[in-house]
């Protein structure tokens, strides 16, 4: 029998952690070959992953030069979700002279008993859980006990593993950090500029800055903005990005917002000194630019002006302003009407949003921001010009 290691994963992107795991398992278990199996439709991932072809290409580049490594497209060729049990069954049938070692990291096994037909998986292969030296096995005892009733159960293998995850790689890319210690040199450039990787990286970054509620709101604004951009011939990716990052500084404490705004000349009106919370747009844009995360001036303006509005708002800024108002989590009275208007006419939607804010502030005796008034006046002017033009 040929001893074959199987390493499945989304590989979004492939990194040195995967390669180290393959290399060490091959050595320690004396495996003739390692077959890498990119998941086409992973059942447990709810985020949007990079297209299969992209992930596969990176993997192929990373494995280049090692003729004991192969890539199997078995999950791509099969319809539906990528369940390990189906893959193992198919391989058994196709390669009767092979003995399979299914390679995983022990930390991914916490929910092994939720895997589709997990007991059957254990019967179909030697199931190998790799651990880092000194970390012991993180496999729950109950699981280990149950597993023992199937073939050789879960084999724990101590390897000199690297503590790298694709999630971490994406986050480091979003932060513009050096990733040469994380992924092979030859794929760095492509991975860094991949839209999906960047967007997912921004999400990881946001999760570390925002509460769950605000994070959900941000994703809601991103989706709404992308939808509006689609409806009004805007740039969908740009709208999604601006929506996602618009509240980047929303949970920075007021004292810090004020300090940063004063120090970097971001204050536009004295109202902001009385209500520093209004500064989270301007400070957020400044931080994103300063940290090298966003360079696109239109995206920065949209973020900068989303709290108050601004007379110079372009289409993108208008989209973000109103998307922030009408994203699915917003439940205030009148939001449905606002959605209807915005879907019919973007500018009228923004106008209605500004009206809503301004009347609310008047009702509760709050300060009006001059830029909100100026933005409203500009939109009215445009409407009058439109009417005369027609
Ligand atoms: Fe905001
Ligand atoms: Fe917001």
């Amino acid at each position: 029998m040929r001893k074959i290691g199987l390493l499945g994963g989304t590989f979004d992107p492939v990194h040195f952690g995967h390669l180290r795991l393959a290399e060490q398992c091959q050595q320690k278990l004396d495996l003739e070959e390692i077959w890498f199996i990119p998941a086409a439709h992973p059942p447990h991932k709810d985020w949007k992953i990079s297209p299969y072809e992209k992930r596969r290409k990176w993997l192929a580049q990373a494995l280049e030069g090692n003729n004991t490594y192969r890539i199997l497209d078995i999950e791509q060729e099969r319809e539906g979700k990528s369940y390990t049990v189906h893959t193992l069954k198919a391989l058994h049938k196709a390669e009767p002279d092979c003995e399979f070692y299914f390679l995983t990291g022990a930390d991914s096994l916490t929910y092994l008993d939720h895997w589709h037909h997990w007991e059957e998986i254990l019967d179909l292969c030697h199931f190998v859980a790799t651990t880092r030296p000194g970390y012991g096995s993180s496999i729950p005892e109950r699981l280990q006990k149950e597993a023992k009733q199937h073939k050789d159960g879960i084999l724990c293998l101590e390897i000199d593993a690297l503590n790298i995850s694709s999630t971490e790689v994406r986050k480091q890319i979003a932060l513009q950090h050096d990733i040469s210690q994380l992924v092979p040199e030859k794929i760095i450039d492509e991975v860094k500029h991949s839209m999906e990787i960047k967007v997912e990286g921004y999400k990881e970054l946001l999760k570390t800055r925002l509460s769950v509620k605000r994070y959900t709101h941000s994703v809601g604004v991103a989706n709404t903005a992308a939808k509006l951009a689609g409806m009004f011939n805007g740039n969908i990716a740009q709208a999604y990005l601006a929506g996602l990052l618009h509240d980047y500084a929303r949970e920075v404490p007021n004292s810090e917002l004020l300090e940063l705004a004063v120090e970097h000349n971001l204050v536009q009106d004295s109202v902001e000194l009385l209500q520093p919370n209004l500064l989270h747009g301007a400070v957020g844009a400044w931080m994103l630019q300063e940290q090298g995360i966003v360079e696109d001036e239109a995206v920065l303006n949209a973020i900068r002006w989303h709290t108050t509005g601004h007379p110079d708002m372009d289409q993108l800024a208008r989209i973000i302003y109103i998307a922030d108002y009408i994203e699915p989590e917003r439940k205030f009275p009148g939001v449905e009407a606002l959605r209807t208007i915005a879907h019919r006419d973007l500018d009228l939607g923004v106008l209605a949003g500004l009206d809503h804010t301004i009347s609310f502030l008047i009702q509760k005796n709050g300060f009006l921001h001059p830029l909100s008034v100026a933005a409203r006046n500009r939109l009215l002017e445009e409407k009058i010009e439109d009417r005369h033009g027609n």
Side-chain angles (χ1 to χ4, degrees):
M1 293 290 260
R2 304 173 63 206
K3 291 172 73 176
I4 304 293
L6 301 176
L7 183 55
T10 38
F11 302 110
D12 194 27
V14 59
H15 52 69
F16 285 135
H18 297 123
L19 301 181
R20 174 68 67 86
L21 190 142
E23 182 191 295
Q24 294 252 314
C25 287
Q26 184 169 30
Q27 211 178 55
K28 294 195 182 225
L29 299 167
D30 195 23
L31 305 171
E32 189 181 318
E33 288 187 358
I34 306 267
W35 297 353
F36 291 77
I37 310 173
H41 317 281
H44 299 292
K45 308 265 175 170
D46 53 1
W47 38 268
K48 198 170 159 287
I49 57 173
S50 303
Y52 185 84
E53 289 313 322
K54 230 184 205 182
R55 291 181 284 127
R56 192 204 190 279
K57 188 179 156 205
W58 295 332
L59 185 59
Q61 285 174 304
L63 303 184
E64 219 170 35
N66 187 326
N67 52 18
T68 65
Y69 288 171
R70 268 173 64 184
I71 300 175
L72 299 190
D73 292 305
I74 183 167
E75 300 203 343
Q76 160 74 350
E77 287 151 8
R78 200 176 53 229
E79 291 283 298
K81 288 186 173 172
S82 307
Y83 289 117
T84 301
V85 68
H86 297 151
T87 302
L88 283 170
K89 274 187 182 166
L91 282 175
H92 255 276
K93 219 167 145 190
E95 313 279 350
D97 65 327
C98 290
E99 198 178 348
F100 293 111
Y101 288 76
F102 189 81
L103 314 174
T104 60
D107 42 345
S108 68
L109 295 184
T110 322
Y111 300 106
L112 175 65
D113 49 344
H114 290 267
W115 289 24
H116 196 57
H117 294 217
W118 72 283
E119 288 116 324
E120 215 174 323
I121 295 176
L122 297 177
D123 286 328
L124 287 164
C125 63
H126 301 283
F127 197 90
V128 182
T130 58
T131 56
R132 273 181 291 151
Y135 280 75
S137 153
S138 54
I139 303 162
E141 226 171 278
R142 148 194 72 80
L143 209 61
Q144 191 60 280
K145 227 162 139 186
E146 253 185 272
K148 285 222 169 77
Q149 298 166 26
H150 300 272
K151 209 170 173 174
D152 38 10
I154 301 170
L155 299 169
C156 286
L157 182 69
E158 213 171 77
I159 63 166
D160 182 17
L162 292 171
N163 188 19
I164 302 175
S165 67
S166 298
T167 306
E168 188 57 28
V169 174
R170 293 193 297 265
K171 190 174 141 195
Q172 294 305 322
I173 290 172
L175 284 167
Q176 304 282 313
H177 290 169
D178 175 33
I179 53 163
S180 58
Q181 304 298 310
L182 307 177
V183 306
E185 172 81 43
K186 47 189 158 189
I187 65 168
I188 287 184
D189 235 30
E190 262 191 62
V191 167
K192 250 177 30 187
H193 292 104
S194 160
M195 195 63 197
E196 293 85 5
I197 295 272
K198 274 208 277 196
V199 165
E200 287 310 317
Y202 294 140
K203 286 187 183 171
E204 297 309 327
L205 186 57
L206 278 182
K207 281 183 200 163
T208 63
R209 298 184 56 91
L210 301 178
S211 65
V212 174
K213 195 169 174 238
R214 189 98 55 205
Y215 172 76
T216 312
H217 161 70
S218 299
V219 175
V221 174
N223 285 325
T224 307
K227 189 169 131 190
L228 289 170
M231 291 167 87
F232 298 109
N233 286 323
N235 181 331
I236 294 173
Q238 196 189 31
Y240 188 91
L241 182 66
L244 194 62
L245 296 175
H246 82 286
D247 271 345
Y248 190 75
R250 184 64 179 79
E251 291 178 15
V252 172
N254 277 351
S255 56
E256 206 176 313
L257 285 176
L258 204 51
E259 207 173 300
L260 284 168
V262 170
E263 193 181 333
H264 301 285
N265 262 324
L266 307 174
V267 180
Q268 310 238 37
D269 189 90
S270 55
V271 171
E272 294 155 25
L273 304 178
L274 300 164
Q275 274 161 2
N277 178 32
L278 286 171
L279 289 164
H280 76 266
V283 172
W286 177 82
M287 285 176 152
L288 288 163
Q289 191 172 29
E290 195 64 16
Q291 292 166 6
I293 296 170
V294 177
E295 285 168 10
D296 186 336
E297 199 53 42
V299 172
L300 291 171
N301 276 338
I303 294 171
R304 195 171 280 141
W305 296 333
H306 86 269
T307 43
T308 56
H310 193 285
D312 296 339
M313 283 194 288
D314 61 4
Q315 192 203 42
L316 177 68
R318 292 176 193 204
I319 285 176
I320 299 306
Y321 183 85
I322 196 64
D324 192 16
Y325 240 112
I326 63 171
E327 60 99 1
E329 295 293 309
R330 298 287 195 202
K331 307 277 192 254
F332 60 88
V335 69
E336 247 339 295
L338 215 50
R339 283 187 185 119
T340 310
I341 300 171
H343 291 166
R344 211 166 32 216
D345 183 324
L346 180 66
D347 298 336
L348 285 181
V350 178
L351 193 56
L354 285 162
D355 282 353
H356 191 275
T357 304
I358 291 170
S359 10
F360 174 77
L361 288 169
I362 289 173
Q363 261 174 46
K364 64 163 210 173
N365 243 346
F367 292 103
L368 292 186
H369 197 291
L371 283 175
S372 306
V373 178
R376 182 176 184 274
N377 287 345
R378 176 68 63 85
L379 284 161
L380 285 176
E381 266 169 44
E382 282 178 14
K383 285 292 155 199
I384 292 167
E385 279 165 22
D386 273 1
R387 227 174 296 152
H388 289 177
N390 290 338

